[in-house]
Amino acid sequence: MEEEIEIKDETASDTSLPRVRQPRPAWQESVLFVLSFTLLTSFWLVGRVRDLKAVGNIDFTPWLWFFVPFIPLAQIIGLPRFFDELKRREDGSTTRQWKSYTWAWIAVLVVTNIIVLTEDSLNLPEWVLEASLIIICGLFALLHIRFNNWKHKLEKVEFYGKASGYYWYEWLVVVLGSIVFIAYIYFYVLAPLFIDKIQDLEDRQVIENSDLGFGLTIAGDGWVEVEAGTHSSDETELELSGPTLGSFFIVFDQGLSNSLNGVASGRATLRNDFSGSPVCKENRYLSNNEKSVISYTECNGSWLDEKVTTYSTIIISNDRTVELYGYLMDSKHKHARQSENMRTIAKSFSPL
Amino acid sequence: MRLNQRLLKWKAWFAFGAILFFSQSFANEVKIDWLEKSASRTYTFAEEFIAADDLPSEKTTLLHDIEIIFDAGEVTRTVRQVNYFPTYNDAHTAGNESIYWDKEVEALTVREARVLKLNGQAHRLNPDNIRVLDSDAYNTFTDQKEVVLPYSGLTDKSISILEYQIKFSIADLESSWSTIIYPVLFDPVKNFRLRVIEDEQTPLTYSSNNKDIIDCKVNDNELECESADLSPNKSDVDIIWRDVLPQIFIGETQTWDDVIANDLKAFEESNNKDDSVQKMLDRIIDDGMTQRQKIEAIHKFVSRDIRYVSMSELGHRITPHTSASVLENRFGDCKDKSAMLHGMLSLIGVDAKPVLVATKRSSLANTRFPSTGYFDHMVICFDSEKQFYCLDPTDSNTDINSISSWIQGMVSLTLEEGAKPLRIPLAPHKWRLNVSSSLEFDENANVVERQERIYHGEYASGIRSSYGPKNDEERNEAATESFHKVVSSLVDPTFEFVGLQEMANTAIIRSEAKYTPFLDPREALNYVENDSWLNRELDDVEISSKHYDARVHGIDVQSTINFDFNKLWNVTWYPPNLNLKGKYGEMTRFVTTTGKHKIQVETRVKITTQMVKQGEIESFNEFLKLLKGESALNFVGETP
């Protein structure tokens, strides 16, 4: 005899009251917005649309709202309706209204979203992006408070879930986002604080090393001479940190026995800096004093989603082979801007 | 005592007899007229030197004294030369003295030729040992002989003493008189003295190119130059010595137009447009030929069908033989051949000019005083159909588009009123070479190498001159030897030669060689192939001189090498593109992959003809070293 299985229909509960998500603490939501780099706002908005839809019948399709937090046009079209529906329900529940602040909220969200989407191509400072993300988190935290207020005043609704409960996919976003966030904080905030800076370098500043007989000229702002070992575990002669985290130069003394061909072929066939196969091109030209040949190799490829370029300028000076190795990893637009300066620096590397 | 006296008397008679005998023997050759010891200033000078304490440690010219006296059109040139030989090496290498003498117009008298030892012993030159040799007979406007005086008894710590006189009459000369004195050559000179006395009939002009070391004074009709303790000229290679040596020019006062008029008058003696020339011309050319083809045919005839024979006997120092006689004999010297070429070109309407060339001078500064004496060669230059030609009728290998390599940059004088000395144009890139090679690996890593070398212009002429006269066997041997030196001694290639007999603009050498595997196809590829012929050209253009400015003759070498690795390796790194452009020249390279395992390397080196200052020679050679370093083609790869 088979065991009888009871099938419980949660939607068709015994009361048939509208089901609304249990309000969650605003601080907790805010932290998760930040940790997930605002990605959680998409899930949050889908949930809140479901809440609105549960309380009053509206023709919103909740999953479509997933895209609204990062599409400004969708924000302009969708959010006024969203706020209208929210307002209508708030009126019914006598919740305190935002009145004209609603439009300010939408406007700030649209602007900050545009900034986030275009900061790469607008060459805005890094802090503008960071501030925009914080503002977006803040906007959604405010909205969350408003929703919480509304929910607290709701009657004849059934709250489901725990106040601290999240779906598995929300946790996935949060956990992954947290890893990225921690890495971001480490590389962009903490690591620069611990770099052993030797000196700030100015645009067109000349650096010379008479022992190894080389010189180079800085191009662009934000370059810093740092202690050997900052960007390499090898013994190096000079290390420079660039204006962006993924840009640096290292000078290697390749010694007496390494030939130009030996070093150049080794560098061009090295694939460690790329996730795929880079395209490398080597050119050779005479130094300004016409007493030595300079090998210049540029390899272009990618590392995950970022564009990567390596620069290798090799000279023979004082009978030694000396190499300036440069590395640049950045998003496409920032890479394009930075690479020109790095190429200029790499090509300025020459014997004294 | 009596015995001694008798012996001395007998010796004196014997000596007198011997002198008489040898004087007779050399009556038409070298006249000997020994001076008494006491009358010889040279001997006295040497004796005084021996008495001094500070003997030099290197071979030294103790006295170099020249006296030229003009008297009623007669010229007497007295030369006194005293040399000290401190070591046996000096005695071995420089123990003979030479006098250059035009025996048909000059009378040479040796007045003293003796070796004096430090201990007082003396050995007079045995006239029997005097040898008269033909001096360089190629390209000369004189019939000068070299009189060689082998000193007897010359050992280390010896002094050679020489005094001789050359007498001639100005009236016997075909062109005006001039001479160039080199006060110092390659030994230190303790005392130099030059004294010239002119007469009213022969006003003279003089010039010194180095007034810092030679002090000259002119008093009325007398020039006197003196100097002491002159350092030797630094020895060097690839140098035109007459451009760099200190020198004093003395010559009859005249203008370049005087020189040109005199030489043109002599040139016209050839009667180079007579019937015999016209008849020969009619056989060489036909009406169907273009003007250029006619010029080519005429040049080929004169350079190849008339042999070169030096013919500057008396009366023909600067005057060509008649063209009829040259045609009859089918030989002649540069003047004769130039006159023939000039005549034939004139008959086809070309306004050609005879041009004198100084084949051992490129400095215009050192040839600024008018004289025929600088020149030793003649060519024909002209414009035709907007192209400039300078044809050397003694050169049977160079096509008409190029100027003979050996006269480029040399001082020349066009025999045309109003002309002044100029340099024969220098080709910007005298040595032009295209090399196409292919290296094909088979599945077992055997390699077939095919090469084609195309030499252009002057270079083609050089190749023609080296390989043309050889038979097939000799030619293959020479080409193999060259291949072994330049490319590889591992194989003996087969050769094919094209254009060695024609006077064409190109000469081609093709070769094919098969190498057994020199790379292991089971191992990763790390292969270096030298761009050998390009490398060799870079070697050749290196300057060996150290002490003087050096002329570099330009090179333009294009090399294309096609590598086919035949799936044996995946090549991961190959030679980079090059753009090495500097003030001395350039080397460019373009590398393209022509297939999955095929790579083409195109390299070009251009170094333009230039004068490199002495202080820049090291930089120039360092530049070449850089280019040579880049001529090694390096390939890195993995096995599939």
Side-chain angles (χ1 to χ4, degrees), chain A residues 259-262 264-266 268-269 271 281-286 290-294 297, chain B residues 572-574 576-585 619 622-623 626 629-630 632 634 636:
Chain A
S259 68
L260 211 59
N261 280 350
S265 63
T269 50
R271 299 285 182 265
K281 192 166 186 182
E282 184 188 354
N283 278 289
R284 292 190 183 181
Y285 47 90
L286 284 176
E290 299 186 8
K291 291 191 170 177
S292 67
V293 174
I294 298 177
T297 305
Chain B
T572 54
W573 189 78
Y574 47 76
N577 288 342
L578 293 180
N579 187 15
L580 311 182
K581 289 187 177 172
K583 64 177 173 180
Y584 300 121
S619 300
E622 277 179 14
F623 175 72
L626 290 181
E630 292 300 325
N634 196 180
V636 175

Side-chain angles (χ1 to χ4, degrees), chain B residues 79-237:
Chain B
V79 177
R80 300 178 183 93
Q81 184 90 15
V82 179
N83 293 326
Y84 174 60
F85 299 82
T87 69
Y88 76 92
N89 263 332
D90 297 321
H92 279 237
T93 55
N96 293 343
E97 197 78 59
S98 287
I99 301 169
Y100 290 91
W101 170 49
D102 188 341
K103 70 174 188 176
E104 290 186 82
V105 290
E106 295 173 343
L108 168 63
T109 306
V110 176
R111 305 178 71 193
E112 182 62 280
R114 185 192 299 257
V115 167
L116 187 62
K117 298 276 185 75
L118 293 185
N119 61 10
Q121 278 188 324
H123 296 267
R124 182 166 270 172
L125 177 85
N126 181 350
D128 250 355
N129 295 333
I130 293 175
R131 294 288 177 270
V132 180
L133 311 174
D134 267 328
S135 62
D136 182 11
Y138 201 84
N139 295 313
T140 177
F141 289 165
T142 71
D143 194 20
Q144 231 171 25
K145 306 292 177 193
E146 181 182 3
V147 179
V148 181
L149 310 175
Y151 289 116
S152 304
L154 189 75
T155 62
D156 59 332
K157 295 188 171 49
S158 298
I159 295 170
S160 68
I161 301 163
L162 174 68
E163 184 170 328
Y164 64 90
Q165 268 186 352
I166 288 176
K167 289 187 177 180
F168 59 92
S169 172
I170 287 284
D172 291 340
L173 303 181
E174 241 175 277
S175 54
S176 54
W177 176 87
S178 68
T179 188
I180 293 168
I181 309 291
Y182 300 94
V184 53
L185 296 172
F186 304 103
D187 298 324
V189 175
K190 291 290 278 183
N191 295 281
F192 169 78
R193 182 170 166 264
L194 168 68
R195 186 165 169 250
V196 183
I197 300 173
E198 65 181 359
D199 62 5
E200 284 181 0
Q201 290 178 21
T202 321
L204 299 177
T205 301
Y206 101 94
S207 156
S208 166
N209 73 342
N210 196 332
K211 289 176 180 165
D212 293 339
I213 64 166
I214 309 291
D215 180 29
C216 290
K217 290 190 180 80
V218 177
N219 290 313
D220 297 331
N221 63 340
E222 184 175 333
L223 167 73
E224 191 160 71
C225 305
E226 279 188 338
S227 199
D229 296 321
L230 293 168
S231 298
N233 288 294
K234 285 173 182 160
S235 166
D236 224 332
V237 290

Side-chain angles (χ1 to χ4, degrees), chain B residues 156-410:
Chain B
D156 59 332
K157 295 188 171 49
S158 298
I159 295 170
S160 68
I161 301 163
L162 174 68
E163 184 170 328
Y164 64 90
Q165 268 186 352
I166 288 176
K167 289 187 177 180
F168 59 92
S169 172
I170 287 284
D172 291 340
L173 303 181
E174 241 175 277
S175 54
S176 54
W177 176 87
S178 68
T179 188
I180 293 168
I181 309 291
Y182 300 94
V184 53
L185 296 172
F186 304 103
D187 298 324
V189 175
K190 291 290 278 183
N191 295 281
F192 169 78
R193 182 170 166 264
L194 168 68
R195 186 165 169 250
V196 183
I197 300 173
E198 65 181 359
D199 62 5
E200 284 181 0
Q201 290 178 21
T202 321
L204 299 177
T205 301
Y206 101 94
S207 156
S208 166
N209 73 342
N210 196 332
K211 289 176 180 165
D212 293 339
I213 64 166
I214 309 291
D215 180 29
C216 290
K217 290 190 180 80
V218 177
N219 290 313
D220 297 331
N221 63 340
E222 184 175 333
L223 167 73
E224 191 160 71
C225 305
E226 279 188 338
S227 199
D229 296 321
L230 293 168
S231 298
N233 288 294
K234 285 173 182 160
S235 166
D236 224 332
V237 290
D238 298 336
I239 290 301
I240 301 173
W241 286 111
R242 290 174 195 190
D243 286 349
V244 297
L245 290 175
Q247 52 203 269
I248 301 167
F249 169 89
I250 308 147
E252 288 183 61
T253 304
Q254 59 182 338
T255 64
W256 281 113
D257 276 345
D258 295 336
V259 173
I260 290 165
N262 185 54
D263 285 46
L264 260 184
K265 188 180 165 197
F267 185 76
E268 282 159 6
E269 296 288 316
S270 64
N271 196 13
N272 61 3
K273 291 184 269 297
D274 74 2
D275 288 348
S276 62
V277 176
Q278 181 65 63
K279 277 180 190 165
M280 181 54 72
L281 183 63
D282 292 340
R283 287 164 55 186
I284 297 167
I285 62 171
D286 61 60
D287 292 341
M289 288 176 163
T290 62
Q291 185 75 339
R292 184 189 155 78
Q293 287 169 330
K294 288 177 184 173
I295 294 168
E296 275 180 322
I298 291 169
H299 179 234
K300 185 179 173 188
F301 170 78
V302 177
S303 63
R304 290 195 163 182
D305 290 355
I306 295 175
R307 284 186 297 127
Y308 180 87
V309 175
S310 184
M311 298 280 288
S312 291
E313 75 277 12
L314 190 59
H316 292 282
R317 300 285 194 261
I318 61 166
T319 309
H321 297 82
T322 62
S323 291
S325 72
V326 172
L327 273 178
E328 175 71 20
N329 294 326
R330 286 295 180 102
F331 64 67
D333 63 11
C334 62
K335 307 182 293 289
D336 302 333
K337 284 157 80 83
S338 289
M340 176 74 68
L341 180 61
H342 180 268
M344 288 186 169
L345 289 171
S346 300
L347 290 171
I348 64 164
V350 173
D351 184 18
K353 306 289 177 199
V355 176
L356 296 175
V357 182
T359 62
K360 296 181 185 72
R361 287 182 180 274
S362 69
S363 164
L364 291 171
N366 285 344
T367 50
R368 64 186 185 278
F369 284 93
S371 170
T372 305
Y374 306 116
F375 303 100
D376 55 5
H377 189 47
M378 181 179 273
V379 296
I380 300 295
C381 301
F382 55 93
D383 286 297
S384 174
E385 297 172 329
K386 297 181 182 172
Q387 188 174 343
F388 177 71
Y389 297 88
C390 233
L391 305 183
D392 183 341
T394 66
D395 181 350
S396 55
N397 290 308
T398 305
D399 77 298
I400 63 169
N401 292 308
S402 306
I403 297 175
S404 295
S405 156
W406 68 297
I407 61 169
Q408 287 188 23
M410 297 304 167

Side-chain angles (χ1 to χ4, degrees), chain B residues 400-429:
Chain B
I400 63 169
N401 292 308
S402 306
I403 297 175
S404 295
S405 156
W406 68 297
I407 61 169
Q408 287 188 23
M410 297 304 167
V411 174
S412 67
L413 179 68
T414 303
L415 295 185
E416 182 181 35
E417 192 181 348
K420 297 280 187 298
L422 292 171
R423 285 197 195 93
I424 297 279
L426 283 154
H429 303 100

